[in-house]
């Protein structure tokens, strides 16, 4: 069983920064990828960013590219999402997800169906 636990959400101001963390544990696939998704009220879940557990390659949604950075610490089994230059449109519940590595998934790398395990979510609110 795989477990994912997010932390680091909270409130931020426009132009500010927050960092999310997700610690994962359990029977991880030999070749896996980690991702961050978000869901705002009355909107569909959106893929934000993902990273390969094999070679560290990354993908970003257009809406966050250049502002957000995903990275992982294998020693801590943790994936991070550094969010800079926040804006109110970033307000959402952010979810960490784990699935098979890029090229082994059933769908696009930032599609929810490509991931099998999910965290409980952490709220991020950006307002002045």
């Amino acid at each position: 069983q795989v477990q994912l636990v997010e932390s680091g959400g909270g409130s931020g101001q426009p132009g500010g920064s927050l960092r999310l963390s997700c610690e994962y544990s359990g029977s991880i696939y030999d070749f896996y990828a980690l991702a961050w998704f978000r869901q705002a009220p009355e909107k569909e879940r959106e893929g934000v960013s993902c990273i390969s557990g094999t070679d560290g390659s990354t993908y970003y949604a257009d809406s966050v590219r250049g502002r957000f950075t995903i990275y992982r610490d294998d020693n801590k089994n943790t994936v991070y999402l550094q969010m800079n230059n926040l804006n109110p449109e970033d307000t959402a519940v952010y979810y960490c997800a784990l699935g098979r590595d890029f090229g082994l998934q059933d769908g696009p790398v930032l599609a929810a169906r490509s991931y099998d395990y999910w965290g409980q979510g952490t709220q991020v609110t950006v307002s002045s």
Side-chain angles (χ1 to χ4, degrees):
Q1 189 71 6
V2 175
Q3 289 187 326
L4 301 155
V5 180
E6 301 101 335
S7 60
S11 297
Q13 293 188 335
S17 298
L18 286 172
R19 189 181 76 165
L20 305 182
S21 302
C22 172
E23 183 174 356
Y24 51 96
S25 61
S27 300
I28 309 296
Y29 299 126
D30 290 340
F31 303 99
Y32 63 92
L34 295 152
W36 288 96
F37 287 77
R38 66 185 181 186
Q39 189 165 18
E42 301 181 355
K43 291 189 176 181
E44 293 186 356
R45 190 167 295 191
E46 173 193 20
V48 174
S49 182
C50 53
I51 184 168
S52 167
T54 304
D55 61 12
S57 56
T58 58
Y59 292 87
Y60 294 93
D62 290 342
S63 58
V64 306
R65 187 176 293 112
R67 300 188 298 121
F68 291 9
T69 302
I70 188 171
Y71 60 100
R72 70 184 201 275
D73 184 336
D74 293 338
N75 291 327
K76 296 182 178 180
N77 276 10
T78 299
V79 62
Y80 301 93
L81 185 68
Q82 178 66 43
M83 305 186 294
N84 297 330
N85 195 19
L86 290 165
N87 61 60
E89 289 70 38
D90 296 320
T91 296
V93 177
Y94 283 71
Y95 298 90
C96 176
L98 184 145
R100 299 189 184 278
D101 206 355
F102 305 155
L104 301 175
Q105 299 170 335
D106 292 332
V109 296
L110 282 177
R113 68 178 187 272
S114 297
Y115 296 87
D116 305 307
Y117 301 97
W118 295 81
Q120 81 286 353
T122 185
Q123 177 71 46
V124 171
T125 303
V126 182
S127 67
S128 54

